[in-house]
């Protein structure tokens, strides 16, 4: 039976509509028939402000998926879960570990989930699904679990550590993407894309038997990408013939500019309030 999946950007770094608000963070809302889910929850409780303005009822949420543990994706979890206590939670165990980022001056700051968020997850223990492997969230919508890093050109490192002394790099194994199939091919949603967008796409193609990829939405984390990585990433987008590209959040302005210049008729905004419809 044909079903429409409606993807709405609930929280993102930019906004172009009156009355909605933006912040450094990301949250998507997906409506699949009468069921709905959240992929990430933004940095603050902003989703509580934006959802009613977009005629989204958070109370009806069936599932909340965390793309990884960084607090710009997990900060609204407590509020989302209070609004929808029946929702099942999907996350990788490593999302709960301590996470730090190194500032340019060498100091570090914690960017892992705060205590209230971790407590929300602990209290919801029976409704938590740990996602190391590809897992169906609901009605044909899947989360990847851990994504193998296969393409060295993606340089998926970065100033991320598991300790405040920057001694142990954080491999961010918790980073995962959401995907579902449509008549035109797969739609992929990324949180921050720490595993690398090409690694993520190749892994999803591997586990879906090589289905074409129709659309990519979300954070591509190309902030530190040099010319070689950008060139190879764009070449992969062309080779896979990706029709819709809505780069968001942590993609980075120089990378956004290059993507738009290279694929002008395929790129579109992913700002707060943007709605996309896909036929399942
Ligand atoms: Fe992140
Ligand atoms: Fe992020």
């Amino acid at each position: 039976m044909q079903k429409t999946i409606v993807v709405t950007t609930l929280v993102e770094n930019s906004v172009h509509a009156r009355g909605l608000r933006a912040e450094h963070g990301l949250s998507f809302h997906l409506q699949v028939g009468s069921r709905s889910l959240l992929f990430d929850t933004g940095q603050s409780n902003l989703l509580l402000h934006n959802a009613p303005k977009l005629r989204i009822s958070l109370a009806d949420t069936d599932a909340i998926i965390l793309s990884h543990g960084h607090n710009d994706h997990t900060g609204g979890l407590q509020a989302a879960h209070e609004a929808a206590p029946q929702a099942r939670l999907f996350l990788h165990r490593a999302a709960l570990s301590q996470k730090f980022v190194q500032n340019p001056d060498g100091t570090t700051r914690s960017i892992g989930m705060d205590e209230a968020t971790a407590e929300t997850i602990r209290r919801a223990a029976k409704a938590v699904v740990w996602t190391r492997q590809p897992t169906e969230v609901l009605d044909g919508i899947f989360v990847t679990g851990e994504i193998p890093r296969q393409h060295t050109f993606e340089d998926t490192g970065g100033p991320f550590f598991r300790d405040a002394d920057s001694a142990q790099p954080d491999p961010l194994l918790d980073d995962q993407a959401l995907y579902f199939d449509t008549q035109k091919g797969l739609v992929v949603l990324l949180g921050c894309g720490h595993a690398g967008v090409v690694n993520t796409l190749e892994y999803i193609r591997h586990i879906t038997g090589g289905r074409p990829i129709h659309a990519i939405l979300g954070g591509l984390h190309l902030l530190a990408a040099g010319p070689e990585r950008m060139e190879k990433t764009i070449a992969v987008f062309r080779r896979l013939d990706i029709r819709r590209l809505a780069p968001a959040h942590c993609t980075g302005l120089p990378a956004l500019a290059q993507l738009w210049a290279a694929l002008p008729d395929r790129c579109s905004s992913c700002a707060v309030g943007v709605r996309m419809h896909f036929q399942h």
Side-chain angles (χ1 to χ4, degrees):
M1 193 183 68
Q2 184 175 312
K3 245 192 263 174
T4 302
I5 298 186
V6 185
V7 181
T8 307
T9 310
L10 202 51
V11 176
E12 206 267 329
N13 300 36
S14 55
V15 63
H16 309 295
R18 199 176 287 267
L20 297 169
R21 292 185 196 150
E23 70 178 3
H24 176 76
L26 191 65
S27 174
F28 288 109
H29 176 268
L30 276 73
Q31 188 74 43
V32 194
S34 62
R35 315 225 320 173
S36 65
L37 62 83
L38 291 174
F39 180 56
D40 285 342
T41 62
Q43 182 186 153
S44 69
N45 291 348
L46 187 60
L47 73 180
L48 298 182
H49 171 86
N50 286 342
K53 297 212 158 22
L54 292 162
R55 298 178 307 283
I56 284 170
S57 166
L58 291 176
D60 297 329
T61 307
D62 296 286
I64 304 171
I65 303 104
L66 298 179
S67 67
H68 65 305
H70 284 161
N71 58 18
D72 50 327
H73 299 253
T74 58
L77 179 69
Q78 188 184 14
H81 192 254
E82 277 171 14
Q86 75 286 352
R88 297 171 82 201
L89 308 183
F90 294 75
L91 67 152
H92 189 287
R93 281 184 193 279
L96 282 159
S97 47
Q98 293 213 329
K99 295 184 178 295
F100 296 85
V101 67
Q102 192 173 45
N103 301 313
D105 67 1
T107 59
T108 51
R109 65 181 195 278
S110 169
I111 55 166
M113 65 176 72
D114 60 22
E115 184 46 35
T117 308
E119 182 58 22
T120 299
I121 295 167
R122 282 195 291 270
R123 275 209 230 119
K126 284 192 183 139
V128 173
V129 180
W130 302 112
T131 53
R132 193 162 178 211
Q133 304 293 332
T135 305
E136 185 170 20
V137 176
L138 58 83
D139 302 348
I141 299 185
F142 293 82
V143 67
T144 57
E146 238 171 85
I147 297 166
R149 274 64 165 170
Q150 284 180 322
H151 295 273
T152 47
F153 78 82
E154 287 215 283
D155 178 24
T156 55
F160 302 110
F161 295 90
R162 294 199 291 204
D163 61 326
D165 298 327
S166 311
Q168 304 167 45
D170 185 351
L172 279 154
L173 296 180
D174 38 325
D175 183 66
Q176 52 181 354
L178 201 73
Y179 63 95
F180 55 87
D181 210 355
T182 72
Q183 292 166 4
K184 293 178 175 172
L186 297 163
V187 175
V188 177
L189 279 75
L190 296 100
C192 256
H194 290 294
V197 59
V198 175
N199 284 329
T200 304
L201 298 181
E202 297 286 6
Y203 183 56
I204 291 173
R205 275 172 59 77
H206 170 71
I207 55 188
T208 58
R211 284 284 297 157
I213 293 175
H214 173 63
I216 310 172
L217 291 71
L220 306 188
H221 214 281
L222 295 167
L223 292 156
E228 188 203 349
R229 181 173 175 189
M230 283 310 301
E231 206 175 287
K232 288 189 171 170
T233 301
I234 289 167
V236 170
F237 291 170
R238 285 194 206 279
R239 174 167 58 78
L240 295 177
D241 195 22
I242 290 158
R243 298 301 171 107
R244 297 180 74 176
L245 195 55
H249 179 48
C250 57
T251 301
L253 280 178
L256 274 180
Q258 288 175 70
L259 289 170
W260 241 274
L263 305 160
D265 52 340
R266 305 197 176 196
C267 286
S268 62
S269 166
C270 198
V272 173
V274 165
R275 234 171 209 143
M276 297 194 192
H277 296 71
F278 301 99
Q279 300 305 319
H280 200 10

